[in-house]
Amino acid sequence: MSKFAKAKDFKKSKAGVYISLTSTLFGAIGIAKQMKQARFDDDRLRQLDAAVSAAAMATGVALLLRELRRMNDDDILAG
């Protein structure tokens, strides 16, 4: 199996989903900082950008959680 195929399989594994979920949630720190700075500067465009980024992050987290649930449903030993 090539290194590329192994990396592709890792992305579909539970560990890969957990790492993706964690990194996505750490992005919330940057979004919060961006929103705080935009409010301090009273910059409406940056506030809108932060809100859209937060919505995208929330959607990404929801997709990753759905993928994790599907993996657990397919796992016979999980219950």
Side-chain angles (χ1 to χ4, degrees):
M1 186 181 286
S2 71
K3 289 182 181 180
F4 181 71
K6 286 180 184 178
K8 200 173 182 182
D9 288 339
F10 179 74
K11 191 175 180 182
K12 300 276 185 188
S13 69
K14 279 189 180 183
V17 172
Y18 281 125
I19 289 172
S20 296
L21 186 61
T22 304
S23 64
T24 303
L25 290 175
F26 273 119
I29 296 168
I31 293 171
K33 287 180 181 179
Q34 182 183 5
M35 182 61 83
K36 184 178 179 181
Q37 185 65 38
R39 284 184 183 158
F40 179 75
D41 294 339
D42 197 30
D43 188 345
R44 300 280 183 194
L45 189 58
R46 282 194 182 175
Q47 287 179 359
L48 179 63
D49 182 45
V52 170
S53 296
M57 186 199 66
T59 304
V61 168
L63 289 170
L64 288 168
L65 288 175
R66 181 177 70 182
E67 184 66 29
L68 197 57
R69 279 193 211 113
R70 284 184 181 170
M71 285 181 184
N72 286 337
D73 289 343
D74 292 341
D75 189 6
I76 296 171
L77 298 176

